[in-house]
Amino acid sequence: MGGFASDNNAGIHPNIMKAIAEANSGHCIGYGDDTYTESALQKMKEVFGPQSEIFFVLTGTAANVLGIRAFLKPYQSVLCASSSHLNVDECGAPENIAGCKLMEIPSENGKLCAESLKPFLEVVGNEHHAQPAAVSITQSTELGTVYTVEEIAALSAFAHNHNMILHMDGARISNAAAHLGIRFRDITFEAGVDLLSFGGTKNGMMIGEAVIIFNQGWAENFKYIRKQGMQLLSKMRFISAQFAAFFNGDLWLKNAKHANYMAKLLSDGIRDIPECRITQKVEANAVFVKLPPHSIDELRKRYFFYTWDAGNHIIRLMTSFDTTENDVTGLLRTLKESIENAG
Amino acid sequence: MGGFASDNNAGIHPNIMKAIAEANSGHCIGYGDDTYTESALQKMKEVFGPQSEIFFVLTGTAANVLGIRAFLKPYQSVLCASSSHLNVDECGAPENIAGCKLMEIPSENGKLCAESLKPFLEVVGNEHHAQPAAVSITQSTELGTVYTVEEIAALSAFAHNHNMILHMDGARISNAAAHLGIRFRDITFEAGVDLLSFGGTKNGMMIGEAVIIFNQGWAENFKYIRKQGMQLLSKMRFISAQFAAFFNGDLWLKNAKHANYMAKLLSDGIRDIPECRITQKVEANAVFVKLPPHSIDELRKRYFFYTWDAGNHIIRLMTSFDTTENDVTGLLRTLKESIENAG
Amino acid sequence: MGGFASDNNAGIHPNIMKAIAEANSGHCIGYGDDTYTESALQKMKEVFGPQSEIFFVLTGTAANVLGIRAFLKPYQSVLCASSSHLNVDECGAPENIAGCKLMEIPSENGKLCAESLKPFLEVVGNEHHAQPAAVSITQSTELGTVYTVEEIAALSAFAHNHNMILHMDGARISNAAAHLGIRFRDITFEAGVDLLSFGGTKNGMMIGEAVIIFNQGWAENFKYIRKQGMQLLSKMRFISAQFAAFFNGDLWLKNAKHANYMAKLLSDGIRDIPECRITQKVEANAVFVKLPPHSIDELRKRYFFYTWDAGNHIIRLMTSFDTTENDVTGLLRTLKESIENAG
Amino acid sequence: MGGFASDNNAGIHPNIMKAIAEANSGHCIGYGDDTYTESALQKMKEVFGPQSEIFFVLTGTAANVLGIRAFLKPYQSVLCASSSHLNVDECGAPENIAGCKLMEIPSENGKLCAESLKPFLEVVGNEHHAQPAAVSITQSTELGTVYTVEEIAALSAFAHNHNMILHMDGARISNAAAHLGIRFRDITFEAGVDLLSFGGTKNGMMIGEAVIIFNQGWAENFKYIRKQGMQLLSKMRFISAQFAAFFNGDLWLKNAKHANYMAKLLSDGIRDIPECRITQKVEANAVFVKLPPHSIDELRKRYFFYTWDAGNHIIRLMTSFDTTENDVTGLLRTLKESIENAG
């Protein structure tokens, strides 16, 4: 079965597999006090800037939830898109583990803008209501769209003007950076992001996410939050070695560019089919497409993918670092055949 | 530097490394809905018995804390040894994440017995006090001792008679089973254990622990607790493949037997030195030894290890699946020299 | 200044004040093990039915949050109206203390119906999402409307068919029962309510709410949840004595009928003023009215009340057990004058 | 039955009852924005000093737990006596609601000293362990003993030197101040206390405790913690009026002096009976006494009291503001008779 279900259905990039194997030599002090970790963190500090404090964790949920936990007090709330992973796909962990209330904001394309945040500030200072303390955005969004630097900067300015931090869920930040053609630093610290969940797993790693804190005052306590948050791996070197390989020679960029290009090929092909309609801008590695219902059934016989909006017959197709042109042309062929057969 | 600091300072066993590499082929549905996971779970069900429900998680802290969370209500407490990892080394996660109160019980050798639990039952039914709902033991203990089947059965009988469950922190259960020469099932389900934290990382895996629930009524909800507990890995196949290799051909047993044997060699050698005193029975892969203070300083120049009790000059030496006889004789030689030089 | 801000701005009904004074005699065992409490609970069991288990707490927030905590597991969610007190006015306590996610449902009149709940059931069984386990309704609603018995029964049937409980926030249930002219039992247990937050404070008590559990299986643990939830008053007799007086001779009903009647007088008077528009059915003791903006300013000089929707110039006027006809005619006169003066 | 069970078994002092009744006039804005509250807070600021920030809550558990919650991060711990109410009598609320780990310290007389705290600082900076952030003491202690100003100052100096705060559980601080013959301010702010749980209920109020924060930087957020902590009473004026009466004419001091004097009479009488042994210094309003076992049974037929240590036949006798000399002589007579009859 061909795979367009998710970029996390892909395996491990060979360079990263090799790095794991090479780190498997002799004994190392556990929990990150090793040279592999030191080296990976140093490399990432170069990438994200000297003010960044970086902590490896094991899942994207943990990066999001523990990062927010570090910054928020128990009575504070997070403003986020209704469609955000934080709101939809964490099984209530932000509420239960970080302890905060999420204020969900409807958004057509998965993005927030300052205007949509304003009504949530009316409760500031009123003890009957959870107090807004963070804005959380996803880059690239759950709908495959990408915030520009200007959009991020506008949100961070708004957040900071109202005593909130800006959190970025960067599970797919590599795809966003590849799309924009700029450095991670430009869409994070330089644009005013305070807290970043940096994702490695969806772009070729086996396991590995990072919480990156750009405001050092908040970072000093994170090591305790990580440990208490059940995310401190004893054999840390094997996470660190993956991150080192991920950044070595800009592997992350090659992987993300490839995945994005596959999404472009896929969406270009779909646009040629009049019966289909692309419903979101294709800026990263996701393609949202409205199909004739019977085509969805036909595609599902040969491909894994998720239905996004059953009522409107919209499916999500994700590409990844290992998607091939053959995979794309195969899916397009199946799709066309399904339409011709129905005709 | 030679390593006797912890069994988690060792690397990945070659068979397990190979299994990771072999699983790295093509796409797999994420989050455990894959054949690697199905196969590993099936193998483990054979080992632990058909009534066992098994969930892979990423850290030992998570196995302990989320397992307990699944069984306990917010106002309940856990009876455990003062020296238990649960009480000492989880940065308050049992209290903060599982939400329970720990009732710590002093123990010379790290083991609990029913007699020591009785005083904690006086509060049963009194709403002013957290209600005892679980007994937690560690096998092998943090002091390298091993519960016999009879001891476990006595504790589980006591627990069950008082409406408590028996939890076993099995971060090093392989070493215990190897010492006792019996099956996992005999010291868990058959002896009345309700909930097991099964450890893979300390015995040759890269990353991987399991929560094993022997009472199926409690298991149905654990998948949500795992996900909310930030422990559901997307590329689960790479955990599952490790577990499959861990059980294949009883690799776990070979690894544990070797580590235990190295601890025996080490303790036998130390017993020959009159200036040193072994302070705990050496039943698994830990050796606790009281040394002349200057010997501790000398040893530390060439070896990693932890001081257990600074005031009494007791250190802990851990062996692992990859400890060699050379490592052991080297340490013994260094130790003897330190004593002769001081003489 | 006249008071239409909230029914909780009223004082203590004289009968209840007298009951507090009469209970102030000699020593009583603390924490509810006294005859005042026994007697109040017995009276309330007659009212709510023999299957009801009743626990006094100190605030409405506590009744809502601890009741839900008793029934829900940490990964479960509550379906509630966007405008519900639970969602808006508890400073995030449901999320932080009960640990659950709230799924908010827009509603014009503050009521839920089964149809609006259905989309939230799509996630059942999927570990990535908080699992719906409770429907929470407010009776009378935050918008002054009242659920009929049939509406409640339909919601409870839907909830029970989908393995959810039905919670009722009855901070103003007296006003609803008075409006419907039926017994508490008919709109709670008999209509399928599983869990009730019963409010006394807004209807003439000094302090006192109750968590009423109609499903005895869930009640046995609530005493611990109440104590841990910081709601177990040592001098409980003074809460119990209030409840006894509240039910004695149906004081609750007289109070609620009076408040409702004052709201009717008020809304009838307002309906006679063409410049004003009543925006919600007046069924209990709240009147929502859209006014000319300058009238709001004029009214505010002499009366306390809350603006409900500033953009649409809608204010909320609450009546209480001690609102007088003079209060109502006074406000109406002020309102009319403000309009004439502006004309 | 005569009452020596607890000072919270007493009723409401007449002055306080009168204050409640007097506050029951007309409407007041809810939740503390009223003149009764303003006036009570102002009076208490005079007593505790201008730097104090004062928040009324409803139970002693809430004062302790929410105060600690305001100051501690989730991974931090509190050092307290094993016998402290915080550790023993809150049904796990410090762990579950404040989220912190308690480090219990054995103490013969219920008091802590700096020396006993030192071993708990070894873990500072080590992420595997909960980090000590508060020392909590009880004044007067659960064993009826009283910290001197010097003892408190020594503990606060130690705490502050190690980046910890000093919390005082002052459920019975009135009895301690009466014993010492000094102002509240001298044993709190002036002695270095950062956070005080101030108790009113045990000394003549119906209901009312206060969280007093002496470090204003921490106070700004407490109003949210109180509301989320389910402790914000709508009809706040009735708590505030009690506090005003409590401080008016030093009623608190008269009440506490009386209770202490009754304890002195009681213990003096008991000391005259050779078969009985007072086991703790009688400094406040508690008398701990070891009795012949049959005397305990005899006493229990006519008096309420708690067994403190069943194995050693030690009971606790509490006096209160309304204990009479007749009560004391009656109990002494019963006690003597029980001994004579047994002879």
Side-chain angles (χ1 to χ4, degrees):
Chain A
M1 296 269 283
F4 290 88
S6 178
D7 33 13
N8 65 31
N9 287 10
I12 309 170
H13 188 278
N15 292 16
I16 290 172
M17 191 68 232
K18 190 154 162 271
I20 295 174
E22 286 173 358
N24 191 25
S25 162
H27 274 220
C28 264
I29 290 293
Y31 303 109
D33 197 9
D34 65 82
T35 53
Y36 297 96
T37 304
E38 187 186 356
S39 162
L41 291 177
Q42 188 179 320
K43 175 67 184 166
M44 288 176 74
K45 275 211 158 200
E46 289 166 19
V47 170
F48 288 98
Q51 73 299 317
S52 58
E53 294 287 341
I54 300 162
F55 301 86
F56 298 145
V57 296
L58 304 173
T59 64
T61 301
N64 281 341
V65 171
L66 297 183
I68 283 169
R69 170 169 238 210
F71 277 82
L72 263 62
K73 300 200 176 69
Y75 54 81
Q76 293 181 325
S77 66
V78 178
L79 312 185
C80 60
S82 299
S83 54
S84 64
H85 201 276
L86 198 66
N87 187 45
V88 176
D89 297 294
E90 315 282 33
C91 197
E95 289 88 352
N96 191 280
I97 307 284
C100 63
K101 189 174 180 69
L102 302 186
M103 309 303 291
E104 53 171 305
I105 301 172
S107 166
E108 287 291 314
N109 62 0
K111 293 181 180 180
L112 297 179
C113 64
E115 200 56 36
S116 63
L117 305 177
K118 282 183 188 165
F120 293 91
L121 298 173
E122 283 176 18
V123 301
V124 169
N126 183 331
E127 73 209 277
H128 294 271
H129 310 289
Q131 297 292 301
V135 176
S136 178
I137 60 176
T138 311
Q139 175 77 319
S140 58
T141 73
E142 292 78 4
L143 289 161
T145 54
V146 172
Y147 284 95
T148 65
V149 171
E150 294 71 28
E151 288 170 334
I152 297 167
L155 282 165
S156 72
F158 182 85
H160 297 160
N161 284 342
H162 295 90
N163 297 311
M164 300 188 287
I165 63 156
L166 182 61
H167 166 248
M168 179 180 281
D169 177 349
R172 295 187 180 100
I173 190 175
S174 296
N175 302 93
H179 170 72
L180 296 170
I182 57 180
R183 302 177 305 170
F184 283 133
R185 186 189 299 209
D186 296 319
I187 47 171
T188 57
F189 177 67
E190 300 289 349
V193 170
D194 301 284
L195 170 66
L196 172 65
S197 303
F198 183 84
T201 313
K202 286 183 160 69
N203 194 27
M205 283 176 54
M206 168 185 160
I207 172 172
E209 313 286 317
V211 171
I212 305 184
I213 299 175
F214 294 106
N215 180 334
Q216 293 187 338
W218 291 93
E220 66 180 311
N221 297 318
F222 195 78
K223 68 176 182 174
Y224 305 107
I225 288 175
R226 174 172 65 177
K227 169 64 188 178
Q228 190 183 65
M230 310 173 289
Q231 294 290 321
L232 182 62
L233 184 61
S234 54
K235 296 185 176 175
M236 184 73 92
R237 59 170 141 164
F238 298 109
I239 303 291
S240 305
Q242 292 180 69
F243 270 112
F246 188 78
F247 283 98
N248 192 22
D250 287 342
L251 176 64
W252 68 268
L253 182 57
K254 287 172 196 161
N255 283 356
K257 270 187 177 168
H258 176 82
N260 290 2
Y261 181 57
M262 290 298 109
K264 185 176 172 346
L265 282 189
L266 185 59
S267 58
D268 286 351
I270 291 171
R271 281 186 226 274
D272 289 342
I273 310 173
E275 289 82 356
C276 304
R277 186 166 61 81
I278 302 288
T279 63
Q280 295 286 344
K281 280 191 190 172
V282 178
E283 297 179 324
N285 62 327
V287 178
F288 289 81
V289 54
K290 180 178 170 67
L291 296 182
H294 73 277
S295 292
I296 296 180
D297 299 336
E298 288 299 309
L299 268 189
R300 203 177 293 289
K301 290 177 185 163
R302 300 187 46 188
Y303 293 95
F304 285 125
F305 57 86
Y306 286 102
T307 297
W308 190 257
D309 176 347
N312 289 305
H313 314 298
I314 296 170
I315 67 167
R316 185 189 77 169
L317 301 169
M318 297 291 300
T319 57
S320 56
F321 79 89
D322 64 352
T323 305
T324 65
E325 293 205 26
N326 274 347
D327 292 336
V328 170
T329 53
L331 184 137
L332 289 172
R333 189 169 51 243
T334 305
L335 180 54
K336 283 173 192 162
E337 286 169 6
S338 78
I339 286 167
E340 287 160 11
N341 293 344
Chain B
M1 296 270 282
F4 290 87
S6 176
D7 33 13
N8 65 30
N9 287 11
I12 309 169
H13 188 278
N15 292 15
I16 290 171
M17 191 70 229
K18 190 154 162 273
I20 296 173
E22 286 173 358
N24 191 24
S25 161
H27 274 220
C28 264
I29 291 294
Y31 304 109
D33 196 10
D34 65 82
T35 54
Y36 298 96
T37 304
E38 187 186 354
S39 161
L41 291 177
Q42 188 179 321
K43 175 68 184 164
M44 289 176 73
K45 275 209 156 201
E46 288 166 19
V47 170
F48 288 97
Q51 72 300 319
S52 58
E53 293 287 341
I54 300 161
F55 301 87
F56 298 144
V57 296
L58 304 173
T59 64
T61 301
N64 281 341
V65 171
L66 297 184
I68 283 169
R69 170 169 240 211
F71 277 82
L72 264 62
K73 299 200 176 70
Y75 54 81
Q76 294 181 325
S77 67
V78 178
L79 312 185
C80 60
S82 299
S83 54
S84 65
H85 200 275
L86 198 66
N87 187 45
V88 176
D89 297 295
E90 315 281 33
C91 197
E95 289 88 352
N96 192 281
I97 307 283
C100 62
K101 188 173 180 70
L102 301 185
M103 309 304 290
E104 52 171 306
I105 301 172
S107 167
E108 286 293 314
N109 62 358
K111 292 181 181 181
L112 297 180
C113 63
E115 201 55 38
S116 63
L117 305 177
K118 282 183 187 163
F120 293 90
L121 298 174
E122 282 176 19
V123 302
V124 170
N126 183 331
E127 72 209 278
H128 294 271
H129 311 289
Q131 297 293 300
V135 176
S136 178
I137 60 176
T138 311
Q139 174 80 317
S140 59
T141 74
E142 292 78 5
L143 289 160
T145 53
V146 172
Y147 285 94
T148 64
V149 171
E150 293 71 27
E151 288 170 335
I152 297 167
L155 282 165
S156 73
F158 182 85
H160 297 159
N161 283 341
H162 295 89
N163 295 313
M164 299 188 287
I165 63 155
L166 182 62
H167 166 248
M168 179 180 281
D169 177 349
R172 293 185 180 101
I173 189 175
S174 296
N175 302 92
H179 170 72
L180 296 171
I182 56 180
R183 301 176 306 169
F184 283 133
R185 189 189 297 207
D186 296 319
I187 47 171
T188 57
F189 178 67
E190 300 289 350
V193 170
D194 300 285
L195 171 66
L196 171 65
S197 303
F198 183 84
T201 313
K202 287 182 160 71
N203 194 28
M205 283 175 54
M206 168 184 159
I207 171 173
E209 313 286 317
V211 172
I212 304 185
I213 299 176
F214 294 107
N215 180 335
Q216 294 187 337
W218 292 93
E220 65 179 312
N221 298 319
F222 194 79
K223 67 176 184 174
Y224 304 108
I225 288 176
R226 174 173 65 177
K227 169 63 189 178
Q228 190 183 66
M230 310 174 289
Q231 294 290 321
L232 181 61
L233 184 61
S234 55
K235 296 186 176 174
M236 182 73 92
R237 58 170 143 163
F238 297 110
I239 303 292
S240 305
Q242 292 180 70
F243 270 111
F246 188 78
F247 283 98
N248 193 21
D250 286 343
L251 176 64
W252 68 267
L253 182 57
K254 289 174 194 160
N255 283 355
K257 270 186 175 167
H258 176 83
N260 289 3
Y261 180 57
M262 289 299 108
K264 186 178 172 345
L265 281 190
L266 185 59
S267 58
D268 285 350
I270 290 172
R271 281 185 226 274
D272 289 342
I273 310 172
E275 289 83 357
C276 305
R277 187 164 61 80
I278 301 289
T279 63
Q280 295 286 345
K281 280 191 191 172
V282 178
E283 298 179 322
N285 62 326
V287 178
F288 289 81
V289 55
K290 181 178 169 66
L291 295 183
H294 73 276
S295 291
I296 297 180
D297 299 337
E298 287 299 310
L299 267 191
R300 204 177 292 290
K301 291 176 186 163
R302 300 185 47 188
Y303 292 96
F304 286 125
F305 56 86
Y306 287 102
T307 298
W308 190 257
D309 177 347
N312 288 306
H313 315 298
I314 296 171
I315 67 167
R316 184 189 76 168
L317 300 169
M318 296 292 299
T319 57
S320 55
F321 79 88
D322 64 351
T323 305
T324 64
E325 292 204 28
N326 274 349
D327 292 336
V328 171
T329 53
L331 185 138
L332 288 172
R333 189 169 51 242
T334 305
L335 180 55
K336 283 174 192 159
E337 286 170 6
S338 78
I339 286 167
E340 287 160 11
N341 293 344
Chain C
M1 296 268 284
F4 290 88
S6 178
D7 33 13
N8 65 31
N9 287 11
I12 309 170
H13 188 278
N15 292 15
I16 290 172
M17 192 68 231
K18 189 154 162 272
I20 295 174
E22 286 173 358
N24 192 25
S25 162
H27 274 220
C28 265
I29 291 293
Y31 303 111
D33 196 9
D34 65 82
T35 54
Y36 298 96
T37 304
E38 187 185 356
S39 161
L41 291 177
Q42 188 179 321
K43 175 68 183 166
M44 288 175 74
K45 275 209 158 201
E46 289 166 18
V47 170
F48 288 98
Q51 71 301 316
S52 58
E53 293 288 341
I54 300 162
F55 302 86
F56 298 145
V57 297
L58 304 172
T59 64
T61 301
N64 281 340
V65 171
L66 297 184
I68 283 170
R69 170 169 240 212
F71 277 82
L72 263 62
K73 300 201 175 69
Y75 54 81
Q76 293 181 325
S77 65
V78 178
L79 312 186
C80 59
S82 300
S83 54
S84 65
H85 200 276
L86 197 67
N87 187 45
V88 176
D89 297 294
E90 314 282 34
C91 198
E95 290 87 353
N96 192 281
I97 307 285
C100 64
K101 188 173 181 71
L102 302 185
M103 309 303 291
E104 53 171 305
I105 301 173
S107 166
E108 285 293 313
N109 63 359
K111 292 183 182 179
L112 296 180
C113 63
E115 200 57 37
S116 63
L117 306 176
K118 283 184 188 166
F120 293 91
L121 298 173
E122 283 175 18
V123 301
V124 169
N126 183 331
E127 73 209 277
H128 294 271
H129 311 289
Q131 297 293 299
V135 176
S136 178
I137 60 176
T138 311
Q139 174 78 317
S140 58
T141 73
E142 292 78 5
L143 289 161
T145 53
V146 172
Y147 284 94
T148 64
V149 172
E150 293 71 29
E151 287 170 336
I152 297 167
L155 282 165
S156 72
F158 182 85
H160 297 159
N161 284 341
H162 295 89
N163 297 311
M164 299 188 287
I165 63 156
L166 182 62
H167 166 248
M168 179 180 281
D169 178 348
R172 294 187 180 101
I173 189 174
S174 296
N175 302 93
H179 170 72
L180 296 170
I182 56 180
R183 301 177 306 169
F184 282 133
R185 187 189 298 208
D186 297 320
I187 48 170
T188 58
F189 177 67
E190 300 289 350
V193 170
D194 301 284
L195 171 66
L196 171 66
S197 303
F198 183 84
T201 313
K202 286 181 160 70
N203 194 28
M205 283 175 54
M206 168 185 160
I207 172 172
E209 313 286 317
V211 171
I212 305 184
I213 299 176
F214 294 106
N215 180 334
Q216 293 187 338
W218 292 94
E220 67 179 310
N221 298 317
F222 195 79
K223 68 176 182 174
Y224 304 107
I225 287 176
R226 174 173 64 177
K227 169 64 188 178
Q228 190 183 65
M230 310 173 290
Q231 294 291 319
L232 182 61
L233 184 62
S234 55
K235 296 186 176 174
M236 183 73 91
R237 60 171 141 163
F238 297 110
I239 303 291
S240 305
Q242 292 179 70
F243 270 112
F246 188 78
F247 283 98
N248 192 21
D250 287 342
L251 176 63
W252 68 268
L253 181 57
K254 288 173 196 160
N255 283 355
K257 270 186 176 168
H258 176 82
N260 289 2
Y261 180 58
M262 290 299 108
K264 185 176 172 347
L265 282 190
L266 185 58
S267 57
D268 286 351
I270 291 172
R271 280 185 227 275
D272 289 341
I273 310 173
E275 290 82 358
C276 305
R277 187 165 61 81
I278 302 288
T279 64
Q280 295 285 344
K281 280 190 192 173
V282 178
E283 298 180 322
N285 62 327
V287 178
F288 289 81
V289 54
K290 180 177 170 67
L291 295 182
H294 73 275
S295 291
I296 296 179
D297 299 337
E298 287 299 310
L299 268 190
R300 204 177 293 288
K301 290 177 186 162
R302 302 187 44 189
Y303 293 95
F304 286 126
F305 56 86
Y306 287 102
T307 297
W308 190 258
D309 176 345
N312 288 306
H313 314 298
I314 297 171
I315 67 168
R316 185 189 76 169
L317 301 169
M318 297 291 299
T319 57
S320 54
F321 78 89
D322 64 352
T323 305
T324 64
E325 293 204 27
N326 274 347
D327 292 336
V328 171
T329 52
L331 184 137
L332 289 172
R333 189 169 51 242
T334 305
L335 180 54
K336 283 173 192 161
E337 287 169 6
S338 78
I339 286 167
E340 287 159 12
N341 294 344
Chain D
M1 295 270 282
F4 291 88
S6 178
D7 34 12
N8 65 31
N9 288 9
I12 310 170
H13 188 278
N15 292 14
I16 290 171
M17 192 69 231
K18 189 154 162 272
I20 295 174
E22 287 173 357
N24 191 25
S25 161
H27 274 221
C28 264
I29 290 294
Y31 303 110
D33 196 10
D34 64 83
T35 54
Y36 298 96
T37 305
E38 188 185 354
S39 162
L41 291 176
Q42 188 179 320
K43 175 67 184 164
M44 289 176 72
K45 275 208 156 201
E46 287 166 19
V47 171
F48 288 98
Q51 72 301 317
S52 58
E53 294 287 341
I54 300 161
F55 301 86
F56 298 145
V57 295
L58 304 173
T59 64
T61 301
N64 281 341
V65 171
L66 297 184
I68 283 170
R69 170 169 239 210
F71 277 83
L72 263 62
K73 300 200 176 70
Y75 54 81
Q76 293 182 325
S77 66
V78 178
L79 312 185
C80 60
S82 299
S83 53
S84 64
H85 201 275
L86 198 66
N87 187 45
V88 176
D89 297 295
E90 314 283 33
C91 197
E95 290 88 351
N96 191 281
I97 306 283
C100 63
K101 189 174 181 70
L102 301 185
M103 309 303 290
E104 52 171 306
I105 301 173
S107 166
E108 286 292 315
N109 62 358
K111 291 180 179 182
L112 297 180
C113 64
E115 200 57 37
S116 64
L117 305 177
K118 282 183 187 163
F120 294 90
L121 298 173
E122 282 175 20
V123 302
V124 170
N126 183 331
E127 73 209 277
H128 294 272
H129 310 289
Q131 297 293 300
V135 177
S136 178
I137 60 176
T138 311
Q139 175 79 319
S140 59
T141 73
E142 291 79 4
L143 289 160
T145 54
V146 172
Y147 284 95
T148 65
V149 172
E150 294 71 28
E151 288 170 334
I152 297 167
L155 282 166
S156 73
F158 182 86
H160 296 159
N161 284 342
H162 294 90
N163 296 312
M164 298 188 288
I165 64 155
L166 183 62
H167 167 248
M168 178 180 281
D169 177 348
R172 294 186 180 101
I173 190 176
S174 296
N175 302 93
H179 170 72
L180 296 171
I182 58 181
R183 301 177 306 168
F184 283 133
R185 187 190 299 210
D186 296 319
I187 47 171
T188 57
F189 177 67
E190 299 289 350
V193 170
D194 300 285
L195 171 66
L196 171 65
S197 303
F198 182 85
T201 313
K202 287 181 160 71
N203 193 28
M205 283 175 54
M206 167 186 160
I207 172 173
E209 313 286 317
V211 172
I212 305 185
I213 299 176
F214 293 107
N215 180 334
Q216 292 187 337
W218 292 93
E220 66 179 312
N221 297 319
F222 194 79
K223 67 176 182 173
Y224 304 108
I225 288 176
R226 174 173 64 176
K227 169 63 189 177
Q228 190 183 65
M230 309 172 291
Q231 294 290 320
L232 181 62
L233 184 62
S234 54
K235 296 186 176 174
M236 183 73 92
R237 58 170 142 161
F238 297 109
I239 302 292
S240 304
Q242 291 179 69
F243 270 112
F246 188 78
F247 284 98
N248 192 21
D250 286 342
L251 175 63
W252 67 267
L253 182 57
K254 289 173 195 160
N255 283 355
K257 270 186 176 166
H258 176 82
N260 289 3
Y261 179 57
M262 289 299 109
K264 186 177 173 341
L265 281 190
L266 185 59
S267 59
D268 286 351
I270 290 172
R271 280 185 226 275
D272 290 341
I273 310 172
E275 289 83 357
C276 305
R277 186 165 61 80
I278 302 288
T279 64
Q280 295 285 345
K281 281 190 191 172
V282 177
E283 298 179 324
N285 61 327
V287 177
F288 289 82
V289 54
K290 181 179 170 66
L291 296 182
H294 73 277
S295 291
I296 297 181
D297 299 337
E298 288 298 311
L299 268 190
R300 203 177 292 290
K301 291 176 187 163
R302 300 185 47 187
Y303 293 95
F304 285 124
F305 56 86
Y306 286 102
T307 298
W308 190 257
D309 177 346
N312 288 307
H313 314 298
I314 297 171
I315 67 168
R316 184 189 78 168
L317 301 169
M318 296 292 300
T319 56
S320 55
F321 79 89
D322 63 351
T323 305
T324 64
E325 293 204 27
N326 274 347
D327 292 336
V328 171
T329 52
L331 184 138
L332 288 172
R333 187 169 52 241
T334 305
L335 180 55
K336 283 174 193 159
E337 286 169 6
S338 77
I339 286 167
E340 287 160 11
N341 292 344

